[in-house]
Amino acid sequence: MRALRLDRPGPIGDAPLRDGPAHDPVAGPGELVIDVTACAVCRTDLQLVEGDLAARTLPIVPGHQAVGRVVAVGDRVSGWASGERAGVTWLGWACGRCRFCRSGRENLCPEAEFTGWDRDGGYATRMTVAADFAQRLPEGFDDLAAAPLLCGGVIGYRALRLAGIEPGGRLGLFGFGASALLALQVARHWGCEVHVRTRSSSEQSRALSFGAASAAGYDEPTPALDAAITFAPAGAVVVAALRNLDRGGTVVINAIHLDAIPPFPYDLLWLERSIRSVANVTRADATEFLELAAAIPIHAEIENYPLEKANEALGRIHRGEVHGAAVLSIGEAAPGQKT
Ligand SMILES: [Zn+2]
Ligand SMILES: [Zn+2]
């Protein structure tokens, strides 16, 4: 098999991911081996590759939104067979015994292992996944279209739920990348009025074309929001969201790594406004979101790159040049391959 490995984090301009052969993985007890056909590229991968997110183990193969076909089934696996399509998400494993796991919050499990951070991920032709954490994917999405749903889509959905937005409510999205585009479609499906704030004028147009009620720069005020989600990895954007929040509203920060949040007057938080982060996802989040995505149906805008161009795809995310989601097509099963 082949993999793109990170030996040492560094600026993306230096192409830190190294392309090369790797040992074929074997399916341990409880594991599947899958032949990867598509893996979407997440901003978290960029933060890991550049060192903003500290590596937990090196070398590591990044990639936590992978789709492929099962080619080997380990001992003590039930419910999976060779040839079946499987999806791999960020939550690679959780203990199942701690108080978080036992209360439906496996995303907070202190022993959790994450794909592409603790376990080798999908920037490879082959990978292993704990069978209990592999996802079934709806038929309506081909491999390339399904991949970006697995992190950007699922985390956006969890953020919407934590924000407490009700059908018909007024929602703000601050920062507008792949995840926000998917969250916008869910919120519109729920009948919410959505206001998008982002620096990029092309992203503003895209938001309007997907049904946003308004789209403008961060300084442009919105009508009073019931809830807001921030996607930009900048603390100042959290304050921008808070400024537009109605009393009782919540700002959810969708970022694993964030700059310092600048000081702000307590008046912005007063009257039961709250700020919270969204961390990781549960299997239930993924299952619920994938069903919803198929029912809507959600449209994932993708830019397709061959596996060996992962450094280039990450560079384009770094420069804000990717529209929708960057997806690596891997092996021969990826349809419509182009660069
Ligand atoms: Zn991600
Ligand atoms: Zn646990």
Side-chain angles (χ1 to χ4, degrees), residues 224-295:
L225 301 170
D226 299 313
I229 305 171
T230 70
F231 295 89
V237 171
V238 175
V239 180
L242 200 53
R243 277 186 203 291
N244 292 293
L245 202 61
D246 206 350
R247 48 184 68 192
T250 300
V251 174
V252 174
I253 303 169
N254 182 357
I256 192 168
H257 164 80
L258 190 74
D259 295 349
I261 300 175
F264 55 85
Y266 178 59
D267 275 358
L268 293 185
L269 193 60
W270 170 238
L271 293 173
E272 302 194 346
R273 295 175 178 94
S274 56
I275 303 177
R276 69 185 300 185
S277 59
V278 55
N280 314 321
V281 293
T282 67
R283 284 171 283 181
D285 293 329
T287 304
E288 283 174 35
F289 170 72
L290 290 168
E291 277 174 18
L292 183 61

Side-chain angles (χ1 to χ4, degrees), residues 93-102 105-112:
W93 182 83
C95 81
R97 298 181 309 269
C98 72
R99 67 193 185 89
F100 298 101
C101 283
R102 282 188 283 109
R105 295 177 294 166
E106 62 189 8
N107 60 309
L108 301 180
C109 175
E111 290 180 55

